[in-house]
Amino acid sequence: MFYGLKAWRSLRIATIARDGGKCQRCGVRVTSGRKSTRSAAVDHKVPHKGDRKLFFDPDNVWTLCKSCHDGWKAQVDGHKRSSKRMQRDDGWMSRRRDWSSSDLPPD
């Protein structure tokens, strides 16, 4: 959709800089790359559903680490692609605080 556009890449870089290079959920310093749990993910707070204006709205994006994006955000959005680590039945989630959609920042 819009992810391949230069405007998205620019917004992504500007968002990470604006957010101080830190995940806005857990505070970890994000890294470049895609495989680390600390990799930067710029996420839409409100799903854009193809709305170009909402997609490129700088107030609608925030920096998350891959772990928060693939775990907590996927749960909030109801995605089935949540992190395998979040699905393990070994008590990992019980050591983490419960995350909910109420943890999103206010508008």
Side-chain angles (χ1 to χ4, degrees):
M1 176 176 301
F2 304 122
Y3 291 103
L5 298 177
K6 184 177 181 180
W8 169 250
R9 290 190 299 272
S10 296
L11 177 60
R12 185 178 188 282
I13 290 167
T15 301
I16 294 169
R18 177 199 69 202
D19 293 343
K22 292 185 178 180
C23 175
Q24 299 302 290
R25 244 329 259 135
C26 69
V28 71
R29 181 156 302 281
V30 296
T31 63
S32 60
R34 295 181 182 217
K35 297 189 179 200
S36 168
T37 57
R38 294 176 52 179
S39 297
V42 174
D43 178 62
H44 292 90
K45 297 175 188 176
V46 176
H48 58 84
K49 298 181 182 177
D51 179 337
R52 186 180 185 100
K53 185 176 179 183
L54 195 55
F55 187 93
F56 290 109
D57 180 358
D59 293 327
N60 188 40
V61 290
W62 60 340
T63 304
L64 296 177
C65 66
K66 181 175 176 19
S67 181
C68 286
H69 181 266
D70 292 354
W72 168 78
K73 179 65 179 191
Q75 286 182 336
V76 170
D77 287 350
H79 294 288
K80 293 182 181 177
R81 62 177 177 83
S82 63
S83 168
K84 289 179 185 175
R85 188 169 185 193
M86 298 293 283
Q87 295 173 0
R88 289 182 357 200
D89 188 27
D90 63 357
W92 185 80
M93 282 294 289
S94 65
R95 290 190 304 268
R96 308 275 301 192
R97 74 182 190 93
D98 292 329
W99 295 339
S100 70
S101 57
S102 65
D103 291 330
L104 285 171
D107 291 333

